[in-house]
């Protein structure tokens, strides 16, 4: 014998029911088949809703009942030949009349008991199973409809009735052994108590009905036919990359379903596991797919984590107090109290000091739990030995499940560091002694992110998704977007990174798209987007709460730089092209570095020095590998290089500066470059990265600019330089006479940093430095005489964008 169960979506309408007929085609006649069906998808909710509406004295229940009736009548008309319809139509009518009578009484009395709810809900399966039985019959599948209430006996705990297996197994055995038919149709979910009153097995309970029959009859297999092609590594509604698990052990399947994998009703596994009956989970809509086989034998595929599941609406109860320590019986009393209230405990943790016990329960039971526990510990609470029970709500449990996790050390470490890196705060942890399940209590709002990052970590060798929020899409920012677009496929293929841009903003507009902004048309989309409000941009990014989020600042905006702390605090990494944060007060720089560490994010700003050149990266690598920096000498201003490489006393100095600005080599305000402030910021950042606690006013800046030019507007600045042309000419001539070149040099030596213009002879490393190139010489303990040299283009939108890009990859990969 085989038991096949078809769920609500498999029997939702005539079209789907026809799919069942084709699944049965090759099966019938070969062995005894018992087909268990659910109500037409959504019917149980609709039935409950109508009786609840009636109990509130609201006449709308009549419309709801009418809709239920029409739906069933329509299915009958679509499914059956006209000649076979009348008997079934009158069966539907008769049931619907009963339902109406029940609701009318409830409406009058305004009283609704669990017993009546069960009675009402039972019509869903009663109707669907009889309609389907008639369809089978008319399709040539001789079958016998059996009322499950005659087979399954339970106690009178309505809505969650407990099965009396001794009686039930006997009834099932007696019935099927005596019956000669080879195909049976049974309504799932419903049963009856010893008095013959209708009960139900709990929502989703049709799976259980099928399992009870399979187990009683020692069936060859149980098949659960549903709307997905098997049990998956995570809930597919939460994780779009969830994969089918081809084989799974009973214990694992049981654990996954108990921890929220809705595809199987939790109690289903137990009866079939005891009899070692294999269970298949298959899709009615893709019957050719392999599906999932749940059984007892070892699984070849060796992955240690089998699946991830989650349960929402959890409350955490904490019982704490000094009076608890070491006194036996406290936890017993707590659990007894909860058990007396019939409150199911889902998760338990106890601190090793025994000062506290935490238990996770369904949120709906929290108030009842508190009243009962406070009552039970009344004496201790009054004596201040125990605190009144503390309750936290809006929580969820996520669980990693896998039988082999116990033989793979480090899984919980990996689990919690993955959650930590993504700012998911863990409220409580529980690892069953079987080590088949590691579960954590987290905030409900974090569930989607948590399940996705864990899924990525444990199951997706394919790729890791990185979500970018970019402010500043001007010169550098738009190059960055172009590079991201160009590299998208390469990164996915070679680094397994799927980089998506979720938000972009310029000073006027901001645009979001959770599925990723189309990088071909972002310009047009941004034009029509919302007005940019920085606080909204940041709060939207935080509320989206997406995994592996990176905030990319390609502006020179001070307000944005001041927002980094609140961004890092949400475990969102920062890649800054903007130099303001790293070059502001040492306190702020240090605070950001610490926040990044504390919240497992990154604060990266490689492009602050030398644009795309790996200057900060090289310095960090030297330090990390144990080297010590003794001296840094550098030419760090692409702008000033360009200016002094092109200025020869012929065209005016102002003209050359303007040319540099037009070609995009200067800061938006060119005085920051010309006055040496930009170089001073850079050497300060290098000094800080080398471990120096230094501030801007400690950097000696010997400026070559006439002081009067540094005040006023940018236009005045250009006019003032024209006026002072002779000053610039004489600086040039003086160097030129001794065949020297002018370079604006930054140095850090013996803890002191300084910047200024120098005449450079042909024997210097700085002499052959052309265009907008930068060079940095690192003198260290390992490179005492011949320095480690980093040299190359130190300005320009493309190279800067590529430096930002490299930081993004760095933030994404570690
Ligand atoms: P049925 O009506 O057939 O009993 P259910 O809705 O009860 O179907 O269960 C199937 C649904 O369970 C799927 O559509 C899927 O959205 C959900 N689900 C949750 N977790 C998992 C998981 N780990 N694997 C497969 N499906 C899951
Ligand atoms: N129809 C019932 C419910 O919706 C039982 C089931 O579908 O398994 O809960
Ligand atoms: Mg189900």
């Amino acid at each position: 014998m085989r038991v096949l169960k078809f769920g609500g979506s498999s029997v939702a309408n005539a079209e789907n029911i026809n799919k069942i007929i084709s699944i049965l085609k090759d099966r019938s006649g070969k062995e005894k088949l018992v087909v268990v069906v659910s109500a037409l998808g959504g019917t149980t909710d609709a039935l409950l809703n109508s009786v609840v509406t009636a109990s509130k004295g609201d006449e709308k229940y009549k419309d709801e009942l009418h809709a239920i009736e029409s739906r069933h009548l329509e299915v009958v008309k679509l499914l059956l030949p006209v000649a076979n319809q009348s008997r079934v139509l009158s069966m539907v009518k008769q049931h619907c009349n009963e339902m109406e009578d029940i609701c009318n009484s409830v409406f009058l009395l305004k009283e609704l008991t669990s017993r009546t709810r069960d009675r009402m809900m039972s019509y869903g399966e009663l109707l669907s199973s009889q309609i389907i039985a008639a369809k089978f019959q008319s399709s040539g599948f001789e079958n016998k409809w059996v009322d499950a209430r005659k087979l399954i006996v339970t106690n009178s705990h309505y809505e969650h009735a407990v099965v009396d297996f001794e009686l039930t197994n006997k009834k099932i055995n007696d019935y099927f052994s005596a019956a000669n038919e080879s195909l049976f149709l049974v309504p799932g979910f419903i049963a009856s108590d010893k008095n013959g009153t209708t009960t139900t097995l709990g929502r989703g309970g049709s799976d259980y009905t099928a399992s009870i029959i399979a187990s009683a009859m020692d069936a060859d297999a149980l098949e659960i036919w549903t709307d997905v092609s098997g049990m998956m590594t995570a809930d597919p509604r939460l994780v779009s990359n969830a994969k089918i698990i081809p084989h799974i052990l009973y214990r694992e399947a049981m654990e996954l379903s108990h921890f929220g994998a809705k595809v199987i009703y939790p109690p289903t596994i137990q009866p079939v596991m005891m009899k070692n009956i294999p269970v298949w989970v298959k899709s009615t809509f893709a019957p050719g797919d392999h599906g999932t086989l749940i059984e007892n034998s070892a699984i070849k595929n060796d992955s240690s984590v089998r699946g991830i599941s989650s349960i929402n609406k959890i409350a955490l109860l904490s019982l704490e107090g000094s009076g608890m320590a070491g006194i036996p019986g406290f936890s017993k009393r707590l659990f007894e109290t909860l058990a007396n209230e019939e409150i199911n405990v889902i998760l338990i943790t106890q601190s090793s000091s025994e000062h506290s016990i935490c238990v996770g329960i369904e949120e709906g039971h929290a108030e009842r739990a508190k009243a009962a526990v406070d009552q039970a510990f009344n004496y201790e609470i009054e004596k201040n030995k125990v605190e009144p029970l503390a309750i936290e709500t809006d929580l969820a449990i996520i669980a990693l499940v896998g039988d082999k996790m116990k033989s793979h050390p480090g899984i919980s470490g990996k689990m919690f560091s993955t959650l930590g890196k993504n700012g998911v705060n863990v409220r409580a942890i529980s690892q069953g002694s079987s080590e088949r399940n590691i579960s954590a209590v987290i905030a409900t709002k974090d569930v989607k992110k948590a399940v996705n990052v864990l899924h990525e970590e444990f199951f997706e060798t394919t790729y890791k998704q990185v979500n970018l929020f970019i402010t500043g899409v001007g010169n550098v920012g738009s190059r960055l977007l172009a590079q991201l677009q160009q590299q998208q496929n390469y990164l996915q293929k070679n680094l397994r990174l799927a980089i998506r841009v979720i938000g972009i903003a310029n000073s006027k507009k901001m645009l979001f798209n959770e599925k990723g902004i189309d990088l071909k048309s972002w310009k047009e989309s941004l034009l029509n987007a919302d007005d940019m409000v920085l606080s909204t941009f940041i709060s939207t990014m935080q509320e989206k709460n997406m995994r592996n989020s990176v905030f990319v600042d390609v502006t020179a905006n001070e307000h944005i730089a001041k927002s980094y702390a609140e961004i890092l605090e949400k475990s969102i990494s920062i890649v800054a092209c903007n130099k303001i944060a790293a070059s502001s007060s040492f306190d702020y720089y240090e605070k950001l570095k610490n926040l990044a560490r504390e919240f497992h994010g990154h604060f990266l700003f490689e492009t602050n020095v030398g644009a795309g050149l790996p200057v900060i990266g090289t310095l960090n690598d030297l330090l990390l590998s144990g080297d010590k920096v003794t001296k840094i000498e550098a030419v760090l201003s692409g702008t000033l290089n360009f200016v002094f490489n092109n200025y020869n006393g012929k065209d005016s100095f102002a003209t050359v500066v303007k040319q540099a600005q037009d070609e995009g080599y200067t800061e938006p305000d060119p005085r920051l470059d010309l006055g040496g402030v930009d170089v001073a910021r850079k050497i300060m950042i290098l000094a800080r990265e080398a471990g120096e606690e230094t501030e801007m006013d400690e950097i000696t800046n010997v400026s070559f600019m006439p002081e009067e030019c540094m005040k006023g507007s940018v236009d005045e600045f250009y006019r003032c330089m024209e006026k002072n042309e002779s000053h610039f000419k004489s600086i040039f001539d003086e160097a030129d006479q001794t065949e020297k070149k002018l370079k604006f040099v930054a140095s850090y030596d013996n803890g002191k940093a300084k910047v200024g213009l120098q005449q450079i002879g042909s024997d210097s490393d700085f002499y052959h430095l052309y265009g907008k190139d930068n060079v940095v010489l690192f003198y260290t303990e390992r490179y005492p005489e011949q320095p480690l040299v980093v040299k190359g283009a130190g300005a320009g939108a493309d190279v800067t964008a590529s430096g930002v890009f490299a930081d993004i990859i760095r933030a994404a990969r570690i």
Side-chain angles (χ1 to χ4, degrees), residues 5-10 38 204 207 225-228 230-237 256 260-264 308:
K5 177 260 173 176
F6 292 90
S9 49
S10 306
S38 291
D207 298 341
W225 290 83
T226 181
D227 58 355
V228 282
M231 268 197 123
M232 302 174 92
T233 48
D235 184 341
R237 289 162 301 182
L256 275 176
K262 188 193 169 221
V263 59
I264 291 184
I308 304 168

Side-chain angles (χ1 to χ4, degrees), residues 5 7-8 36 38-39 44-45 121 125 159-160 188-190 200-210 224 262-268:
K5 177 260 173 176
V36 176
S38 291
T44 315
D45 284 336
M121 285 194 286
E125 270 71 8
E159 300 186 73
H160 282 285
F189 182 50
I190 59 175
T200 64
L201 301 175
R203 296 300 309 273
S206 298
D207 298 341
Y208 194 27
T209 306
I224 304 280
K262 188 193 169 221
V263 59
I264 291 184
Y265 181 54
T268 306

Side-chain angles (χ1 to χ4, degrees), residues 118-136:
D118 263 2
R119 175 74 191 279
M120 196 63 196
M121 285 194 286
S122 70
Y123 287 102
E125 270 71 8
L126 286 173
L127 286 169
S128 66
S129 57
Q130 294 183 80
I131 295 173
I132 294 166
K135 170 68 187 170
F136 278 18

Side-chain angles (χ1 to χ4, degrees), residues 63 99 194 213 216 245 366 484 511 513 568 596 656 686 691-692 719 743 774 794 814:
D63 301 340
M99 281 150 50
K194 293 196 180 87
I213 298 174
I245 306 170
L484 284 168
L511 174 70
N513 182 344
L568 287 169
V656 181
L686 290 185
E692 196 70 46
R719 278 197 294 280
K743 301 285 168 197
N774 279 196
I814 342 173

